[in-house]
Amino acid sequence: MFPAYWQSFLDQYSLTGKMASVPEDVDMSGLGAELTFMTPNESKQEAGDFYPGIAVLADGYVPVGNCEMGTGDPYFINSNDGPNGPLYRIYHEAVHAEEGYDASEAIATVLDHDNELVKYLE
C-alpha cells in the first residue's frame, strides 16, 4: 500500500507504531497534530474500508497516520507528490460516499515535507 519511499522512511527511523506531535504553530492548518504512524495493514484497511480513505485513494492519497486527538481525521501523503511531499489531514466529515469531496474543504496541509515528522517524535 505504501509507496516504496514511504516504507523506506518508516524503516529508516523505525516509525511504525510511534507517535508524533506537531505543535499548532508549526501545523500549517493551525490545529496541531498528534498521530501514530500506521502499519501497512492499517493503511490498507483505512483506504479500503473507511472514509475518507475510500474516497481519496483514487486521487493518490495514502493513509499513513491515525489521529490521536480524537477527531478521527487521518493523516495522508499523496503518492503523486513523490518523496518528501506534504503531509495532509483529511477531514472525515467532509468526505461522503455519495457526494465525494471538495478538496479545498476536505484536505488541509499539515507540513510541507512529510519527513519533518521526525522532529516531532514522542
Side-chain angles (χ1 to χ4, degrees):
M1 176 96 232
F2 294 145
Y5 63 83
W6 182 259
Q7 187 62 59
S8 294
F9 173 65
L10 292 177
D11 293 345
Q12 179 181 1
Y13 295 99
S14 301
L15 296 176
T16 303
K18 288 187 178 176
M19 290 183 62
S21 185
V22 180
E24 290 177 8
D25 63 332
V26 175
D27 179 347
M28 295 175 68
S29 73
L31 297 175
E34 291 190 22
L35 65 98
T36 299
F37 292 91
M38 289 181 173
T39 66
N41 286 338
E42 289 170 325
S43 178
K44 184 177 179 180
Q45 185 175 21
E46 173 66 38
D49 297 338
F50 302 109
Y51 284 89
I54 293 170
V56 300
L57 183 63
D59 293 327
Y61 292 96
V62 178
V64 296
N66 289 311
C67 174
E68 296 301 325
M69 295 175 71
T71 65
D73 298 324
Y75 296 89
F76 292 77
I77 59 171
N78 190 307
S79 59
N80 298 316
D81 293 333
N84 303 319
L87 177 71
Y88 304 97
R89 175 188 301 105
I90 300 184
Y91 303 108
H92 71 278
E93 292 183 6
V95 178
H96 308 282
E98 294 81 28
E99 299 102 35
Y101 69 100
D102 176 348
S104 67
E105 294 178 15
I107 302 171
T109 302
V110 176
L111 295 170
D112 272 333
H113 304 286
D114 55 37
N115 64 351
E116 294 173 18
L117 282 167
V118 297
K119 297 177 188 176
Y120 307 105
L121 294 174
E122 293 189 353

